[in-house]
Amino acid sequence: MTSAGGVQTCFRRRTAFAAAIATIALLGATSALADQDPVDLQVIDRDTGQPLRVWRHHGRLFIAGEPGKRYGLRVTNHTDGRVLVVLSVDGVNILTGETASYDQRGYVFTAHRSYDINGWRKSNTEVAAFSFAPLPQSYAARTGRPNDVGVIGMAVFKEKFVLPVPADVSPPPEPVQRDEARRAPYGPPKASHNVPTIPPLPVPPVAHRIEEPVVAGRTMRSPRDSLAPSQPEGGVVARRPDEKLGTAHGAREWSVATVVRFERATRYPQSIRQIEYDTYANLAASGVIPASPYADRRPRPFPSKSGRQGYVPDPPPEF
């Protein structure tokens, strides 16, 4: 079993945040529906709090992003147990910064809850916010890994069930022992061949437990951060109209993590999800977003063929 990271989240008082190592915001309990995926992934517009629309194209999922806009990853665990989720953005593990692989550290999520992850993990108390940016300004490109820019990945692992270790069971005193004690003053005991012995119950082996990083707490902007919420770290880079979109290493935000133990049930993930993204214009040009029937329509100065008597009516009342 290879070592991997995990995250189990819960609200804690600020005084308890010192023991943390990774972070996410708890959104609250979520009931599981029969038609839902066991673990769901959504991309959230942090300015509106709403999920970005998903387009399906040839079996792949796509979202449209806008340069400079912050986004978050909302993970919902609909299962009855804890899960380990390894998340990547642009082919980079968002917790460790490594080129992403299944066997790396991730977040542990408890049953039937939703969490928002809003940035690259920087320490036990901070993340660098996710924000859409031109490819040259993406974190992956700035660290020499531009080949996988434009995709968000999620690998889900169930937790291995470990049987509890029973207490040590010793055989009860045997009748022959009591008889021997009574005969002891009168000479050596006689051998007995008819008394059954009770062997101890077998003790199952104790599985090795792996210590994993875990996230707990709220996410908020750091008081010392002077960058605008949507401004990526390092300034703004001009973007060509057809340039591919990536994810920047944005402004620092307060986010706290803790550590838990988690062992994967299997070496490979139980489920994998990927969501690709680019600008709306690029997705429309590639055929992912269907062309609107009104896209090529020109405005007409006299669209109506009939006339009416009278004057200009009032518009509907505003509410």
Side-chain angles (χ1 to χ4, degrees):
M1 179 66 65
T2 56
S3 177
V7 180
Q8 181 181 23
T9 61
C10 59
F11 282 122
R12 298 194 178 189
R13 295 185 178 276
R14 192 166 183 177
T15 55
F17 286 168
I21 296 187
T23 123
I24 51 188
L26 173 63
L27 297 179
T30 305
S31 59
L33 301 178
D35 58 347
Q36 290 175 323
D37 292 332
V39 179
D40 187 39
L41 173 65
Q42 293 178 307
V43 182
I44 305 299
D45 183 334
R46 293 188 61 193
D47 292 331
T48 65
Q50 298 300 312
L52 295 179
R53 179 178 176 179
V54 177
W55 281 272
R56 296 179 181 270
H57 183 69
H58 297 321
R60 296 155 63 186
L61 305 179
F62 294 85
I63 59 169
E66 182 180 343
K69 288 289 187 179
R70 295 181 306 156
Y71 73 87
L73 303 179
R74 179 167 296 168
V75 179
T76 303
N77 178 13
H78 296 298
T79 73
D80 294 328
R82 299 195 310 173
V83 294
L84 168 68
V85 177
V86 181
L87 290 161
S88 69
V89 170
D90 296 346
V92 179
N93 186 314
I94 68 170
L95 185 64
T96 68
E98 302 169 277
T99 299
S101 175
Y102 296 151
D103 60 356
Q104 295 167 352
R105 294 161 59 195
Y107 289 97
V108 173
F109 300 121
T110 54
H112 303 295
R113 290 185 179 273
S114 294
Y115 306 88
D116 277 1
I117 303 174
N118 295 324
W120 309 95
R121 170 59 43 191
K122 299 302 297 178
S123 69
N124 62 338
T125 57
E126 283 188 324
V127 295
F130 294 138
S131 60
F132 294 116
L135 186 150
Q137 197 178 355
S138 68
Y139 176 73
R142 292 174 62 186
T143 55
R145 296 169 288 182
N147 293 338
D148 296 301
V149 167
V151 64
I152 298 166
M154 177 181 73
V156 179
F157 295 84
K158 294 182 180 179
E159 187 169 17
K160 183 176 181 179
F161 177 74
V162 180
L163 292 173
V165 180
D168 184 23
V169 179
S170 300
E174 301 176 2
V176 65
Q177 294 175 337
R178 291 193 294 270
D179 294 341
E180 290 173 356
R182 286 195 296 268
R183 290 195 295 266
Y186 305 100
K190 296 182 179 180
S192 175
H193 302 285
N194 299 321
V195 179
T197 58
I198 303 176
L201 295 176
V203 179
V206 180
H208 177 60
R209 303 292 284 177
I210 302 172
E211 187 169 312
E212 308 291 358
V214 176
V215 172
R218 297 178 181 270
T219 300
M220 61 194 75
R221 288 189 49 78
S222 173
R224 67 178 180 81
D225 190 356
S226 59
L227 294 177
S230 61
Q231 180 181 357
E233 192 175 68
V236 177
V237 175
R239 174 185 171 275
R240 299 194 311 270
D242 60 345
E243 190 169 47
K244 189 173 178 61
L245 198 62
T247 295
H249 182 277
R252 301 294 183 95
E253 299 181 0
W254 178 265
S255 183
V256 180
T258 56
V259 175
V260 296
R261 294 178 180 273
F262 187 99
E263 186 173 1
R264 306 179 190 207
T266 58
R267 182 178 179 182
Y268 295 100
Q270 275 72 49
S271 65
I272 298 174
R273 168 76 64 87
Q274 75 173 49
I275 301 175
E276 299 174 63
Y277 67 90
D278 208 334
T279 63
Y280 187 99
N282 286 352
L283 294 180
S286 62
V288 171
I289 299 177
S292 169
Y294 305 103
D296 298 328
R297 180 179 175 181
R298 296 181 180 180
R300 296 171 294 169
F302 302 101
S304 177
K305 295 181 180 180
S306 61
R308 59 179 298 274
Q309 301 296 323
Y311 299 98
V312 177
D314 292 336
E318 296 182 357
F319 294 98

